[in-house]
Amino acid sequence: MTPAADILDLVSDLKATGEAFALATVVRTVSMTAAKAGAKAVIRPDGTISDGWIGGGCAKSAVLKAAREAIADGKPRLVSLQPADLLQEQGLAPGEENEGVRFASNMCPSQGSMDIFVEPMLPKPELIVCGASPVAVALTVLGRQFGYRVVVCAPKTGRETFGEIDAFVDGFDVDGGDRRQRFIVVATQGSGDLAALRAMIRLEADHIAFVGSRRKMASLRAKLGGEDVAPGRLDRVKAPAGLDLGAITPQEIALSIIAEVIQAHRQSQQAVTEQTA
C-alpha cells in the first residue's frame, strides 16, 4: 500500500502535467473496514486505480463509478458504503443519493461502514486568443481571472502587448493534442483573420468564436470554403463573438465574449452530467 504522502506527490506531478484524474479519500469508517480514514487512491478517467488503496472489492466498484462520473462532469462525490440492513433501516437503497451523498451496499463479511470523498482533479480549461487587438488583450486578463489557461496566438512582435499569460505562440500553429477543454476566440480584427481562422477551425474545441461582423465572417467563410476544410468545421464558428450586451468598448466586448465562453463551458458540463445520470 502506497503511503498517503507519496500519493500526494503523485497528485502534484499529475496536476503539473495537466492530466485529468480523481483523488478518492476515505474520510470516515465505522466498525471493521479494510481501509481506514486517510487512505487515498488516484483514479484515472477509465476507472482504473493508478496508485493507492481504498479497500478491497467491497468499496471499489461504487468508488470507481463515482470517480468516472466526477472526472466527466467536474463535480465531487461523497460515497457512503454501508451494510444492506443498515441502509434498509434508514429507508435507503443502494445507488440512491440523498443530500449530496450516494449510498452503496457493503456485501463483505466485515459489515463495516465507510465514507469516501471523491474529488475530480481536472486541468484548467484552455482559452486560446488569436491576435493582439485591444479586445484580445482584455480577453487574456478576464480569462486568467476566471480560471482559464490562457494561450495567445499572435506575431512575436505583439508579445509585449500582453501581461501575464500561460503560453505564447508565434503565429497560429497550436498543438492540437491537448485533451483539456478548449475555447477559442479569433480576435485578430483585420490582422491575420484568414490565417487565424484557417488554423483554428482545424483544432478540436468546445467553442470557437470570431470577433467581427456577420458580413466579414461570410466573406472569410467564402474564401475558406474553397479550401480543404472538413465539412461542418466552419459551421462551428460563432460570429459575431459574445453575448448581446450592447458592448462598445474593447473591455465591454471582451466581457461579453468571456461570458459566452463561460456559458458554453457550463453547458458542456451540464450535458455530461445528464449523460452520466
Side-chain angles (χ1 to χ4, degrees):
M1 182 172 62
T2 306
D6 292 343
I7 291 292
L8 295 180
D9 288 339
L10 175 60
V11 166
S12 180
D13 292 342
L14 291 174
K15 290 176 72 173
T17 60
E19 294 188 49
F21 63 97
L23 178 64
T25 304
V26 178
V27 295
R28 173 179 174 269
T29 63
V30 178
S31 189
M32 296 294 294
T33 57
K36 300 303 179 185
K40 301 179 185 295
V42 170
I43 303 170
R44 298 304 182 107
D46 63 359
T48 59
I49 294 180
S50 173
D51 209 343
W53 192 70
I54 49 170
C58 302
K60 187 178 295 184
S61 177
V63 173
L64 295 187
K65 182 176 186 296
R68 289 193 299 270
E69 294 173 355
I71 294 170
D73 65 16
K75 299 178 181 179
R77 265 80 171 165
L78 181 61
V79 178
S80 183
L81 187 74
Q82 301 181 23
D85 57 351
L86 185 56
L87 288 176
Q88 190 174 13
E89 288 177 11
Q90 302 172 78
L92 298 168
E96 183 177 340
E97 293 193 18
N98 186 21
E99 296 183 347
V101 181
R102 176 178 297 177
F103 295 91
S105 179
N106 182 3
M107 303 302 293
C108 292
S110 63
Q111 292 293 287
S113 296
M114 182 165 57
D115 294 342
I116 307 102
F117 182 65
V118 180
E119 182 181 9
M121 300 287 186
L122 306 179
K124 287 183 178 181
E126 188 172 72
L127 176 65
I128 298 179
V129 180
C130 296
S133 65
V135 171
V137 174
L139 265 174
T140 63
V141 175
L142 289 173
R144 286 183 61 84
Q145 288 177 347
F146 283 98
Y148 291 85
R149 179 180 185 268
V150 175
V151 178
V152 171
C153 299
K156 62 181 178 181
T157 53
R159 175 63 183 90
E160 62 186 20
T161 306
F162 298 90
E164 189 174 358
I165 57 177
D166 295 287
F168 184 86
V169 177
D170 180 10
F172 307 112
D173 187 14
V174 177
D175 178 15
D178 200 318
R179 292 172 296 176
R180 75 180 73 218
Q181 286 188 297
R182 173 177 282 164
F183 304 86
I184 300 173
V185 180
V186 177
T188 42
Q189 295 193 275
S191 298
D193 296 342
L194 188 63
L197 267 176
R198 181 185 293 118
M200 294 302 113
I201 61 176
R202 286 172 165 79
L203 296 176
E204 294 301 323
D206 296 85
H207 178 77
I208 178 169
F210 176 75
V211 181
S213 67
R214 291 183 178 87
R215 179 177 295 180
K216 188 171 187 178
M217 182 62 206
S219 174
L220 293 168
R221 180 189 294 272
K223 293 176 182 178
L224 288 169
E227 300 183 7
D228 183 21
V229 177
R233 289 283 178 173
L234 280 167
D235 295 336
R236 300 184 305 153
V237 182
K238 165 70 164 50
L243 301 179
D244 186 6
L245 305 181
I248 297 176
T249 68
Q251 291 75 20
E252 290 173 347
I253 294 170
L255 178 62
S256 75
I257 294 170
I258 201 69
E260 185 175 63
V261 167
I262 293 170
Q263 182 184 65
H265 184 192
R266 297 309 181 194
Q267 285 177 345
S268 66
Q269 286 184 323
Q270 182 61 36
V272 170
T273 301
E274 292 172 355
Q275 289 171 7
T276 57

